[in-house]
Coordinates of all heavy atoms in Angstrom, one line a residue:
M1032 N 75.9 111.9 98.0 CA 75.2 111.2 99.0 C 75.6 109.7 99.0 O 75.6 109.1 100.0 CB 73.7 111.4 98.8 CG 72.9 111.0 99.9 SD 73.2 111.9 101.4 CE 72.1 111.5 102.4
E1033 N 75.8 109.1 97.8 CA 76.2 107.8 97.8 C 77.6 107.5 98.4 O 77.8 106.4 98.9 CB 76.3 107.3 96.2 CG 75.1 107.5 95.4 CD 75.0 108.9 94.8 OE1 76.1 109.4 94.5 OE2 73.9 109.5 94.8
A1034 N 78.5 108.4 98.3 CA 79.8 108.4 98.9 C 79.6 108.2 100.5 O 80.3 107.4 101.0 CB 80.7 109.5 98.6
W1035 N 78.8 109.0 101.0 CA 78.5 108.8 102.5 C 78.0 107.6 102.8 O 78.3 106.9 103.9 CB 77.7 109.9 103.0 CG 78.3 111.2 103.2 CD1 78.4 112.4 102.5 CD2 79.2 111.5 104.3 NE1 79.1 113.3 103.0 CE2 79.7 112.9 104.1 CE3 79.7 110.8 105.4 CZ2 80.6 113.5 105.0 CZ3 80.6 111.4 106.3 CH2 81.0 112.8 106.1
L1036 N 77.1 107.0 102.0 CA 76.5 105.7 102.3 C 77.5 104.6 102.2 O 77.5 103.7 103.0 CB 75.4 105.4 101.2 CG 74.6 104.1 101.3 CD1 73.8 104.0 102.7 CD2 73.6 103.9 100.2
V1037 N 78.4 104.7 101.2 CA 79.5 103.6 101.1 C 80.4 103.8 102.3 O 80.8 102.8 102.9 CB 80.2 103.9 99.7 CG1 81.5 103.0 99.7 CG2 79.3 103.5 98.6
L1038 N 80.8 105.0 102.7 CA 81.7 105.2 103.7 C 81.2 104.7 105.1 O 81.8 104.0 105.8 CB 82.1 106.6 103.8 CG 83.0 107.1 104.9 CD1 84.4 106.4 104.8 CD2 83.1 108.6 105.1
L1039 N 80.0 105.2 105.4 CA 79.4 104.8 106.6 C 78.9 103.4 106.7 O 79.0 102.7 107.7 CB 78.3 105.8 107.0 CG 78.6 107.3 107.2 CD1 77.5 108.1 107.5 CD2 79.8 107.4 108.1
G1040 N 78.4 102.9 105.5 CA 78.0 101.4 105.5 C 79.2 100.6 105.6 O 79.1 99.5 106.4
G1041 N 80.2 100.8 104.9 CA 81.4 100.0 105.0 C 82.1 100.0 106.4 O 82.5 99.0 107.0
S1042 N 82.0 101.2 107.0 CA 82.5 101.4 108.4 C 81.7 100.6 109.4 O 82.2 100.0 110.3 CB 82.5 102.8 108.8 OG 83.4 103.5 107.9
A1043 N 80.3 100.7 109.2 CA 79.5 99.9 110.1 C 79.7 98.4 110.0 O 79.7 97.6 110.9 CB 78.0 100.3 109.9
L1044 N 79.9 97.9 108.8 CA 80.3 96.5 108.5 C 81.6 96.2 109.2 O 81.6 95.0 109.9 CB 80.3 96.3 107.0 CG 80.6 94.8 106.6 CD1 79.4 94.0 107.0 CD2 80.7 94.8 105.1
V1045 N 82.6 97.0 109.1 CA 83.8 96.6 109.7 C 83.7 96.6 111.2 O 84.2 95.8 111.9 CB 84.9 97.7 109.3 CG1 86.2 97.6 110.2 CG2 85.3 97.5 107.8
G1046 N 83.0 97.5 111.8 CA 82.7 97.6 113.2 C 82.0 96.3 113.7 O 82.3 95.8 114.8
A1047 N 81.0 95.9 112.9 CA 80.1 94.8 113.3 C 81.0 93.5 113.2 O 80.9 92.7 114.1 CB 78.9 94.7 112.4
L1048 N 81.7 93.4 112.1 CA 82.6 92.2 112.0 C 83.7 92.1 113.1 O 84.0 91.0 113.6 CB 83.2 92.1 110.6 CG 82.2 91.8 109.5 CD1 83.0 91.8 108.1 CD2 81.5 90.5 109.7
S1049 N 84.2 93.2 113.4 CA 85.3 93.2 114.4 C 84.7 92.9 115.8 O 85.3 92.3 116.6 CB 86.1 94.5 114.5 OG 85.3 95.7 114.9
G1050 N 83.5 93.3 116.0 CA 82.8 93.0 117.2 C 82.3 91.5 117.2 O 82.3 91.0 118.4
W1051 N 82.1 91.0 116.2 CA 81.7 89.5 116.2 C 82.9 88.6 116.3 O 82.8 87.5 117.0 CB 81.0 89.3 114.9 CG 80.3 88.0 114.8 CD1 80.8 86.8 114.3 CD2 79.1 87.5 115.5 NE1 80.0 85.8 114.4 CE2 78.9 86.2 115.2 CE3 78.1 88.3 116.2 CZ2 77.7 85.4 115.6 CZ3 77.0 87.6 116.7 CH2 76.8 86.2 116.5
Y1052 N 84.0 88.9 115.6 CA 85.1 88.0 115.6 C 86.2 88.3 116.6 O 87.1 87.5 116.9 CB 85.7 88.0 114.2 CG 84.8 87.3 113.2 CD1 84.1 87.9 112.3 CD2 84.5 85.9 113.4 CE1 83.2 87.3 111.4 CE2 83.7 85.2 112.5 CZ 83.1 86.0 111.5 OH 82.2 85.4 110.7
L1053 N 86.4 89.6 117.1 CA 87.5 89.9 118.0 C 86.9 90.3 119.3 O 85.7 90.6 119.5 CB 88.3 91.1 117.3 CG 88.8 90.9 116.0 CD1 89.4 92.2 115.4 CD2 89.9 89.8 116.0
R1054 N 87.8 90.3 120.2 CA 87.5 90.7 121.7 C 88.6 91.7 122.2 O 89.6 91.7 121.8 CB 87.7 89.4 122.6 CG 86.6 88.3 122.4 CD 85.3 88.6 123.0 NE 84.4 87.5 122.9 CZ 83.2 87.7 122.7 NH1 82.7 88.9 122.7 NH2 82.4 86.7 122.4
G1055 N 88.1 92.6 123.0 CA 88.9 93.5 123.8 C 89.6 94.6 122.9 O 88.9 95.1 122.0
A1056 N 90.8 94.9 123.2 CA 91.5 96.0 122.6 C 91.7 95.8 121.1 O 91.5 96.7 120.3 CB 92.9 96.2 123.2
P1057 N 92.0 94.5 120.6 CA 92.1 94.4 119.1 C 90.8 94.8 118.4 O 90.9 95.3 117.3 CB 92.4 92.9 119.0 CG 93.1 92.5 120.2 CD 92.4 93.4 121.3
A1058 N 89.7 94.5 119.0 CA 88.4 94.9 118.3 C 88.3 96.3 118.2 O 87.9 96.8 117.1 CB 87.3 94.2 119.1
W1059 N 88.6 97.1 119.3 CA 88.6 98.5 119.2 C 89.5 99.1 118.3 O 89.2 100.1 117.5 CB 88.7 99.1 120.6 CG 87.5 98.8 121.5 CD1 87.5 97.9 122.5 CD2 86.3 99.6 121.5 NE1 86.2 98.0 123.0 CE2 85.4 99.0 122.4 CE3 85.9 100.6 120.7 CZ2 84.1 99.5 122.7 CZ3 84.6 101.1 121.0 CH2 83.7 100.5 122.0
L1060 N 90.8 98.5 118.2 CA 91.7 99.1 117.3 C 91.4 98.9 115.8 O 91.4 99.7 115.0 CB 93.1 98.4 117.6 CG 93.8 98.9 118.8 CD1 95.1 98.1 118.9 CD2 94.2 100.3 118.6
V1061 N 90.8 97.6 115.6 CA 90.4 97.4 114.1 C 89.2 98.3 113.8 O 89.2 98.9 112.7 CB 90.1 95.9 113.9 CG1 89.3 95.6 112.7 CG2 91.3 95.1 114.0
A1062 N 88.2 98.4 114.7 CA 87.1 99.2 114.4 C 87.4 100.7 114.3 O 86.7 101.4 113.4 CB 86.0 99.0 115.5
A1063 N 88.4 101.3 115.0 CA 88.7 102.6 114.9 C 89.5 103.0 113.8 O 89.5 104.0 113.1 CB 89.2 103.1 116.2
L1064 N 90.6 102.1 113.5 CA 91.7 102.5 112.6 C 91.4 102.0 111.2 O 91.9 102.6 110.2 CB 93.0 102.0 113.1 CG 93.4 102.5 114.4 CD1 94.8 101.9 114.9 CD2 93.5 104.1 114.4
L1065 N 90.8 100.8 111.0 CA 90.7 100.3 109.7 C 89.9 101.2 108.7 O 90.3 101.5 107.6 CB 90.1 98.8 109.7 CG 90.2 98.1 108.3 CD1 91.5 98.0 107.8 CD2 89.5 96.8 108.5
P1066 N 88.6 101.7 109.2 CA 87.8 102.4 108.2 C 88.5 103.7 107.9 O 88.5 104.2 106.8 CB 86.5 102.6 108.9 CG 86.5 101.5 109.9 CD 87.8 101.2 110.3
A1067 N 89.1 104.4 108.9 CA 89.8 105.6 108.8 C 91.0 105.6 107.9 O 91.3 106.4 107.0 CB 90.1 106.4 110.0
G1068 N 91.8 104.4 108.1 CA 92.9 104.3 107.3 C 92.6 103.9 105.8 O 93.3 104.4 104.9
A1069 N 91.5 103.2 105.6 CA 91.2 102.9 104.2 C 90.7 104.2 103.5 O 90.9 104.4 102.3 CB 90.0 101.8 104.2
F1070 N 89.9 105.0 104.3 CA 89.5 106.3 103.7 C 90.7 107.3 103.4 O 90.7 107.8 102.3 CB 88.5 107.0 104.6 CG 87.9 108.3 104.2 CD1 87.2 108.3 102.9 CD2 88.1 109.4 104.8 CE1 86.6 109.4 102.5 CE2 87.6 110.6 104.4 CZ 86.8 110.6 103.2
L1071 N 91.7 107.2 104.2 CA 92.9 108.1 104.0 C 93.6 107.5 102.7 O 94.0 108.3 101.9 CB 93.8 108.1 105.2 CG 95.1 108.7 105.0 CD1 94.9 110.2 104.7 CD2 96.0 108.5 106.3
A1072 N 93.7 106.2 102.7 CA 94.4 105.6 101.5 C 93.6 106.0 100.2 O 94.2 106.3 99.1 CB 94.5 104.1 101.6
L1073 N 92.3 105.9 100.2 CA 91.5 106.3 99.0 C 91.7 107.8 98.6 O 91.8 108.1 97.5 CB 90.0 106.1 99.3 CG 89.1 106.5 98.3 CD1 89.2 105.7 97.0 CD2 87.7 106.6 98.7
L1074 N 91.7 108.7 99.7 CA 91.9 110.1 99.4 C 93.3 110.3 98.8 O 93.5 111.2 97.9 CB 91.8 110.8 100.8 CG 90.4 111.1 101.3 CD1 90.4 111.8 102.6 CD2 89.5 111.9 100.3
L1075 N 94.3 109.6 99.4 CA 95.7 109.9 98.9 C 95.9 109.3 97.4 O 96.6 109.9 96.6 CB 96.7 109.3 99.8 CG 96.8 110.0 101.2 CD1 97.8 109.2 102.0 CD2 97.2 111.4 101.0
V1076 N 95.2 108.2 97.1 CA 95.3 107.7 95.7 C 94.6 108.7 94.8 O 95.1 109.0 93.7 CB 94.5 106.3 95.6 CG1 94.2 106.0 94.3 CG2 95.5 105.3 96.3
Q1077 N 93.5 109.2 95.2 CA 92.8 110.3 94.3 C 93.6 111.5 94.2 O 93.5 112.1 93.1 CB 91.3 110.5 95.0 CG 90.3 109.4 94.7 CD 89.0 109.7 95.3 OE1 88.9 110.7 96.0 NE2 88.0 109.0 94.9
E1078 N 94.3 111.9 95.2 CA 95.0 113.2 95.1 C 96.3 113.1 94.4 O 96.7 114.0 93.6 CB 95.3 113.6 96.6 CG 96.0 115.0 96.7 CD 95.1 116.1 96.2 OE1 93.9 116.1 96.2 OE2 95.8 117.1 95.7
Y1079 N 97.0 111.9 94.6 CA 98.4 111.8 94.1 C 98.7 110.9 92.9 O 99.6 111.0 92.3 CB 99.4 111.5 95.2 CG 99.5 112.6 96.3 CD1 99.0 112.4 97.5 CD2 100.1 113.8 95.9 CE1 99.0 113.5 98.4 CE2 100.2 114.8 96.9 CZ 99.7 114.7 98.1 OH 99.7 115.6 99.0
L1080 N 97.8 110.0 92.8 CA 97.9 108.9 91.7 C 97.0 109.2 90.4 O 97.4 108.8 89.4 CB 97.8 107.5 92.2 CG 98.9 107.1 93.3 CD1 98.5 105.7 93.7 CD2 100.2 107.3 92.8
L1081 N 95.8 109.6 90.7 CA 94.9 109.8 89.6 C 95.1 111.2 89.0 O 95.4 112.2 89.7 CB 93.5 109.6 90.1 CG 93.2 108.2 90.6 CD1 91.7 108.2 91.0 CD2 93.5 107.1 89.6
P1082 N 94.8 111.4 87.7 CA 94.9 112.7 87.1 C 93.9 113.7 87.6 O 92.7 113.2 88.0 CB 94.6 112.5 85.6 CG 94.2 111.1 85.5 CD 94.5 110.3 86.7
S1083 N 94.3 115.0 87.8 CA 93.5 116.0 88.5 C 92.4 116.4 87.5 O 92.7 116.5 86.2 CB 94.2 117.1 88.9 OG 93.5 118.2 89.4
G1084 N 91.2 116.7 87.9 CA 90.1 117.2 87.1 C 90.1 118.7 86.9 O 89.5 119.3 86.1
G1085 N 90.9 119.5 87.6 CA 91.0 120.9 87.5 C 91.8 121.4 88.6 O 92.4 120.8 89.5
G1086 N 91.9 122.8 88.6 CA 92.8 123.5 89.6 C 92.0 123.7 90.9 O 90.9 123.0 91.1
G1087 N 92.5 124.5 91.8 CA 91.8 124.7 93.0 C 92.7 124.2 94.2 O 93.7 123.6 94.0
A1088 N 92.2 124.6 95.4 CA 92.9 124.1 96.6 C 92.7 122.7 96.8 O 91.7 122.1 96.5 CB 92.4 124.9 97.7
S1089 N 93.6 122.1 97.5 CA 93.6 120.7 97.8 C 92.8 120.6 99.2 O 93.3 121.1 100.1 CB 95.0 120.0 97.9 OG 94.9 118.8 98.4
M1090 N 91.7 119.9 99.1 CA 90.9 119.8 100.3 C 90.9 118.4 100.9 O 90.0 118.1 101.8 CB 89.5 120.2 100.0 CG 89.3 121.7 99.6 SD 89.7 122.8 100.9 CE 88.4 122.6 102.0
W1091 N 91.8 117.6 100.5 CA 91.8 116.3 101.2 C 92.1 116.2 102.7 O 91.5 115.3 103.3 CB 92.7 115.3 100.4 CG 94.2 115.5 100.5 CD1 95.0 116.2 99.8 CD2 95.0 115.0 101.6 NE1 96.3 116.3 100.3 CE2 96.3 115.5 101.4 CE3 94.8 114.2 102.8 CZ2 97.4 115.1 102.3 CZ3 95.8 113.9 103.5 CH2 97.1 114.3 103.3
P1092 N 92.8 117.1 103.2 CA 93.0 117.0 104.7 C 91.6 117.3 105.4 O 91.3 116.7 106.5 CB 94.0 118.1 105.0 CG 94.9 118.3 103.7 CD 93.8 118.0 102.7
V1093 N 90.9 118.2 105.0 CA 89.6 118.6 105.5 C 88.6 117.4 105.3 O 88.0 117.0 106.3 CB 89.0 119.8 104.9 CG1 87.6 120.1 105.5 CG2 89.9 121.0 105.2
A1094 N 88.7 116.8 104.2 CA 87.8 115.6 103.8 C 88.2 114.5 104.8 O 87.3 113.7 105.3 CB 88.0 115.2 102.4
F1095 N 89.5 114.3 105.0 CA 89.9 113.2 105.9 C 89.5 113.5 107.4 O 89.0 112.6 108.1 CB 91.4 113.0 105.9 CG 92.0 112.0 106.9 CD1 91.5 110.7 106.7 CD2 92.7 112.3 108.0 CE1 92.0 109.6 107.6 CE2 93.1 111.4 108.8 CZ 92.7 110.0 108.7
V1096 N 89.6 114.7 107.8 CA 89.2 115.0 109.2 C 87.7 114.7 109.4 O 87.4 114.1 110.4 CB 89.6 116.5 109.6 CG1 88.9 116.9 110.9 CG2 91.1 116.6 109.7
V1097 N 86.9 115.2 108.5 CA 85.5 114.9 108.5 C 85.1 113.5 108.3 O 84.4 112.8 109.1 CB 84.7 115.9 107.6 CG1 83.3 115.7 107.6 CG2 85.0 117.4 108.1
G1098 N 85.5 113.0 107.2 CA 85.1 111.7 106.8 C 85.8 110.6 107.6 O 85.1 109.5 108.0
G1099 N 87.0 110.8 108.0 CA 87.6 109.8 108.9 C 87.1 109.6 110.3 O 86.9 108.6 110.8
T1100 N 86.7 110.8 110.8 CA 86.0 110.9 112.1 C 84.7 110.3 112.0 O 84.4 109.4 112.9 CB 85.9 112.3 112.5 OG1 87.2 112.9 112.6 CG2 85.3 112.4 113.9
A1101 N 83.9 110.5 111.0 CA 82.7 109.9 110.8 C 82.8 108.3 110.6 O 82.0 107.6 111.2 CB 81.9 110.5 109.5
A1102 N 83.8 107.9 109.8 CA 84.0 106.5 109.7 C 84.3 105.8 111.0 O 83.8 104.7 111.3 CB 85.1 106.3 108.7
A1103 N 85.3 106.3 111.7 CA 85.7 105.8 112.9 C 84.5 105.8 114.0 O 84.3 104.7 114.7 CB 86.9 106.4 113.6
F1104 N 83.8 106.8 114.1 CA 82.7 106.9 115.1 C 81.6 105.9 114.7 O 81.1 105.1 115.5 CB 82.2 108.3 115.0 CG 81.0 108.5 116.0 CD1 81.2 108.6 117.3 CD2 79.6 108.5 115.5 CE1 80.2 108.7 118.2 CE2 78.6 108.7 116.4 CZ 78.8 108.8 117.8
T1105 N 81.3 105.7 113.4 CA 80.2 104.8 112.9 C 80.7 103.4 113.3 O 79.9 102.5 113.8 CB 79.9 105.0 111.4 OG1 79.6 106.3 111.3 CG2 78.8 104.0 111.0
S1106 N 82.0 103.1 112.9 CA 82.5 101.7 113.2 C 82.5 101.3 114.7 O 82.1 100.3 115.0 CB 83.9 101.6 112.6 OG 84.4 100.3 112.7
C1107 N 82.9 102.3 115.6 CA 82.8 102.1 117.0 C 81.5 101.9 117.5 O 81.2 101.1 118.4 CB 83.6 103.2 117.7 SG 85.5 103.0 117.4
C1108 N 80.5 102.7 117.0 CA 79.1 102.5 117.4 C 78.6 101.1 117.0 O 77.9 100.5 117.8 CB 78.3 103.5 116.8 SG 78.4 105.2 117.6
A1109 N 79.0 100.6 115.8 CA 78.6 99.3 115.3 C 79.1 98.2 116.2 O 78.5 97.2 116.6 CB 78.9 99.1 113.9
L1110 N 80.4 98.4 116.6 CA 81.1 97.5 117.5 C 80.4 97.4 118.9 O 80.1 96.4 119.4 CB 82.5 97.9 117.7 CG 83.4 97.2 118.8 CD1 83.6 95.8 118.3 CD2 84.6 98.0 119.1
L1111 N 80.0 98.6 119.4 CA 79.2 98.6 120.7 C 77.9 97.9 120.6 O 77.5 97.1 121.5 CB 79.0 100.0 121.1 CG 80.2 100.7 121.9 CD1 79.8 102.1 122.1 CD2 80.5 100.0 123.1
L1112 N 77.2 98.1 119.5 CA 75.9 97.4 119.2 C 76.1 95.9 119.1 O 75.3 95.2 119.8 CB 75.3 98.0 118.0 CG 73.9 97.4 117.7 CD1 72.9 97.8 118.7 CD2 73.5 97.9 116.3
V1113 N 77.1 95.4 118.4 CA 77.3 94.0 118.3 C 77.7 93.4 119.7 O 77.3 92.3 120.1 CB 78.2 93.7 117.2 CG1 78.7 92.2 117.3 CG2 77.7 94.0 115.9
M1114 N 78.5 94.2 120.4 CA 79.0 93.6 121.7 C 77.7 93.5 122.6 O 77.8 92.7 123.5 CB 80.1 94.5 122.2 CG 81.5 94.3 121.6 SD 82.7 95.5 122.0 CE 83.0 95.0 123.7
A1115 N 76.9 94.5 122.5 CA 75.7 94.4 123.4 C 74.8 93.4 123.1 O 74.1 92.8 124.0 CB 75.1 95.8 123.4
V1116 N 74.6 93.1 121.9 CA 73.6 92.1 121.4 C 74.1 90.7 121.4 O 73.4 89.8 121.7 CB 73.1 92.5 120.0 CG1 72.2 91.4 119.3 CG2 72.5 93.8 120.0
R1117 N 75.4 90.5 121.1 CA 76.0 89.1 120.9 C 75.9 88.5 122.3 O 76.5 89.0 123.3 CB 77.4 89.2 120.4 CG 78.0 88.0 120.2 CD 79.3 88.1 119.5 NE 79.9 86.7 119.2 CZ 81.1 86.5 119.2 NH1 82.0 87.4 119.3 NH2 81.5 85.2 119.0
P1118 N 75.6 87.2 122.3 CA 75.7 86.5 123.7 C 77.1 86.2 124.0 O 77.9 85.9 123.1 CB 74.9 85.2 123.4 CG 74.8 85.1 121.9 CD 74.9 86.4 121.3
R1119 N 77.4 86.3 125.3 CA 78.7 86.1 125.8 C 79.0 84.6 126.0 O 78.1 83.8 126.3 CB 78.9 86.8 127.1 CG 78.8 88.3 127.1 CD 79.0 88.9 128.4 NE 78.6 90.3 128.4 CZ 79.4 91.3 128.0 NH1 80.6 91.0 127.6 NH2 78.9 92.5 128.0
R1120 N 80.3 84.2 125.6 CA 80.7 82.9 125.8 C 81.0 82.6 127.3 O 81.5 83.5 127.9 CB 82.0 82.5 125.0 CG 81.7 82.6 123.6 CD 82.9 82.2 122.7 NE 82.8 82.6 121.3 CZ 83.9 82.8 120.6 NH1 85.1 82.6 121.0 NH2 83.6 83.2 119.4
A1121 N 80.8 81.4 127.7 CA 81.2 81.0 129.1 C 82.6 80.9 129.2 O 83.2 80.3 128.3 CB 80.5 79.6 129.5
E1122 N 83.3 81.6 130.1 CA 84.7 81.5 130.3 C 85.0 80.3 131.1 O 84.3 79.8 132.1 CB 85.1 82.7 131.3 CG 84.9 84.1 130.6 CD 85.8 84.3 129.3 OE1 86.9 83.7 129.3 OE2 85.4 85.0 128.4
P1123 N 86.0 79.4 130.5 CA 86.4 78.1 131.2 C 87.2 78.4 132.5 O 87.7 79.3 132.8 CB 87.3 77.5 130.2 CG 87.7 78.5 129.2 CD 86.8 79.7 129.3

């Protein structure tokens, strides 16, 4: 349960920060790709660099599909929330 809290909490933080500091397409790209990419990197490090705890089938692709999708969705929702709440700057 703690892993989901870290994954979704970190994703929400990335989405909120990208909504606060970035505008337009770069904000969406950062919000969608950064949490999923970081999760993929973590999974690949655990799978290929750290010693294995036992045998069995490799389930990292399934974990990435589920966790990466949840991370990207949470981050994009946080981005939308920040974009809706943040006051807009006057365009010169």
Side-chain angles (χ1 to χ4, degrees):
M1032 193 64 172
E1033 303 86 35
W1035 279 105
L1036 182 64
V1037 170
L1038 176 66
L1039 298 181
S1042 299
L1044 181 65
V1045 167
L1048 289 175
S1049 66
W1051 189 260
Y1052 289 110
L1053 300 174
R1054 294 274 183 221
W1059 286 100
L1060 285 173
V1061 168
L1064 297 180
L1065 188 63
F1070 184 60
L1071 176 62
L1073 175 72
L1074 287 175
L1075 292 177
V1076 164
Q1077 286 181 347
E1078 183 66 27
Y1079 293 109
L1080 297 180
L1081 299 179
S1083 175
S1089 177
M1090 295 297 290
W1091 71 266
V1093 175
F1095 176 65
V1096 168
V1097 174
T1100 303
F1104 181 76
T1105 302
S1106 183
C1107 288
C1108 287
L1110 172 68
L1111 278 173
L1112 181 66
V1113 168
M1114 288 173 66
V1116 171
R1117 184 174 182 208
R1119 298 183 192 273
R1120 293 183 195 161
E1122 296 291 331

